């Protein structure tokens, strides 16, 4: 029995004693610690301040009053005849006649037509909604002249409303798209809140939404201006800023942001006006083709 125990003891593996690190390895550690002690607390290098890039705040046009910008452009198309025969477009509905709206003339000089469109802070209307951009387009012998008024501050609204009234003159014939239900009442509300006499009610007003809806409601999925211009006018917008993003673009600019998106709002507004003018001429051409005698 004792022999067996001795044999087992001989077979047991005795763990080797841990080896000590080499002296030169410890020396490297000591040297590193000594260098850190001699260097002392590390001084953080002063951060070089980054130069802030300038914010693009440039609005097109000229500042004609504090916070009010006017931008005038000329488009070679569409061109209009000197005298425009409105024909059936001048016929008011019975409901319109009951409201006492100023009747439309059957014939009108093209220069009297004032196409207008607003960009606003919302679609709900009411006293809390304001127009921060108003565009007006008129036919000229050289093409379509577009004038846009943009407020760059809240306080510039009254100056913009007065500038719009001056631009319309005394004998304008208003042309809009859903303007009788939205744009025109909105401007009237803002004029009253600014205590400015409202001359817009004395102008004849042609709202092209109604004849467009009568003519195309069964041919198009809807009668939004973007749909009509794509399917009926052949206008395809590229990189267009949706109208729903216009309020955010203006508010961001008021808070000191870039003007890039607000400039795109202006481009959207100008295209609306150009499409509105083309839509009127298209209505007249279509009516003339229908009335033309068949050979």
């Amino acid at each position: 029995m004792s022999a067996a125990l001795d044999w087992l003891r001989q077979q047991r593996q005795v763990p080797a004693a841990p080896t000590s690190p080499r002296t030169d390895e410890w020396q490297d550690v000591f040297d590193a610690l000594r260098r850190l002690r001699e260097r002392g607390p590390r001084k953080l290098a002063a951060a070089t301040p980054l130069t802030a890039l300038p914010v693009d705040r440039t609005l097109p046009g000229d500042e004609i009053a504090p916070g009010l910008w006017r931008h005038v452009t000329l488009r070679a198309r569409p061109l209009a005849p000197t005298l425009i025969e409105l024909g059936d477009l001048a016929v008011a509905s019975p409901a319109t006649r009951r409201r006492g709206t100023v009747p439309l003339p059957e014939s009108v000089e093209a220069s009297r037509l004032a196409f207008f469109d607003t960009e606003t802070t919302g679609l709900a209307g009411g006293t809390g909604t304001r127009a921060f951009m108003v565009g007006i387009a008129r036919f000229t012998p050289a093409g379509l002249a577009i004038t846009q008024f943009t407020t760059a501050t809240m306080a510039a609204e009254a100056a913009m409303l007065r500038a719009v009234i001056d631009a319309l003159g005394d004998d304008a014939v208003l042309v809009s798209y859903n303007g009788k239900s939205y744009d025109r009442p909105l401007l009237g509300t803002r004029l009253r809140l600014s205590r400015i006499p409202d001359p817009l009610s004395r102008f004849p007003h042609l709202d092209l939404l109604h004849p467009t809806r009568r003519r195309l409601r069964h041919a198009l999925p809807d009668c939004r201006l973007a749909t009509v211009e794509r399917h009926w006018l052949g206008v395809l917008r590229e990189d267009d800023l949706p109208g729903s993003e216009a309020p955010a673009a203006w508010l961001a600019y008021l808070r000191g942001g870039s003007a890039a998106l607000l400039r795109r709002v202006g481009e959207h507004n100008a295209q609306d006006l150009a499409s509105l003018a083309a839509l009127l001429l298209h209505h007249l051409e279509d009516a003339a083709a229908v009335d033309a005698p068949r050979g």
Side-chain angles (χ1 to χ4, degrees):
M1 184 69 176
S2 60
L5 291 174
D6 292 340
W7 181 83
L8 288 174
R9 290 191 187 98
Q10 292 176 0
Q11 299 302 315
R12 268 173 40 182
Q13 298 292 332
V14 178
T19 58
S20 300
R22 299 198 328 255
T23 303
D24 55 349
E25 292 179 351
W26 280 113
Q27 190 62 44
D28 292 341
V29 174
F30 292 147
D31 292 341
L33 291 174
R34 186 179 67 254
R35 287 194 298 270
L36 288 175
R37 185 183 61 186
E38 293 174 352
R39 185 182 304 173
R42 179 176 295 182
K43 295 182 180 180
L44 295 177
T48 304
L50 297 176
T51 303
L53 295 176
V55 179
D56 178 8
R57 301 278 295 169
T58 304
L59 291 178
D62 302 309
E63 189 175 18
I64 60 174
L68 176 62
W69 291 78
R70 178 179 61 192
H71 184 218
V72 181
T73 55
L74 180 67
R75 294 197 176 196
R77 294 288 186 274
L79 290 172
T82 303
L83 188 67
I84 291 181
E85 302 288 341
L86 293 178
D88 292 341
L89 297 179
V91 178
S93 66
T96 300
R97 288 195 293 268
R98 284 196 299 270
R99 288 196 296 265
T101 304
V102 178
L104 284 162
E106 293 185 4
S107 300
V108 60
E109 295 179 2
S111 59
R112 289 183 58 193
L113 297 175
F115 303 91
F116 78 100
D117 184 52
T118 64
E119 303 298 332
T120 68
T121 57
L123 297 177
T127 57
T129 303
R130 65 171 64 205
F132 63 85
M133 180 183 295
V134 179
I136 300 173
R138 289 184 181 273
F139 286 126
T140 71
L144 189 70
I146 299 176
T147 303
Q148 295 170 291
F149 300 97
T150 304
T151 57
T153 64
M154 290 283 192
E157 182 185 32
M160 181 189 71
L161 294 172
R162 293 189 181 93
V164 168
I165 292 173
D166 291 342
L168 290 174
D170 298 325
D171 63 346
V173 176
L174 302 178
V175 185
S176 67
Y177 202 82
N178 198 34
K180 281 188 176 181
S181 300
Y182 183 74
D183 303 81
R184 166 65 187 84
L186 174 64
L187 290 176
T189 298
R190 303 314 301 180
L191 285 165
R192 286 193 298 274
L193 291 175
S194 298
R195 299 182 179 180
I196 300 174
D198 180 5
L200 302 180
S201 58
R202 71 169 185 262
F203 294 139
H205 188 165
L206 172 59
D207 191 334
L208 286 177
L209 172 63
H210 307 301
T212 301
R213 185 177 286 162
R214 288 195 299 269
R215 183 164 295 182
L216 301 176
R217 61 185 173 184
H218 299 302
L220 300 180
D222 58 67
C223 287
R224 295 182 302 114
L225 182 57
T227 304
V228 172
E229 65 181 13
R230 183 170 62 252
H231 291 280
W232 210 39
L233 303 179
V235 175
L236 183 61
R237 302 195 188 201
E238 295 182 1
D239 194 31
D240 182 60
L241 185 75
S244 59
E245 298 183 20
W250 183 65
L251 291 173
Y253 181 81
L254 290 191
R255 294 167 182 156
S258 170
L261 288 181
L262 190 52
R263 289 196 297 268
R264 290 179 61 190
V265 174
E267 295 168 2
H268 173 92
N269 179 263
Q271 182 57 56
D272 280 350
L273 293 168
S275 293
L276 191 56
L279 179 60
L280 172 63
L281 297 180
H282 205 69
H283 269 292
L284 300 178
E285 292 170 0
D286 192 60
V290 171
D291 296 338
R294 298 178 183 271

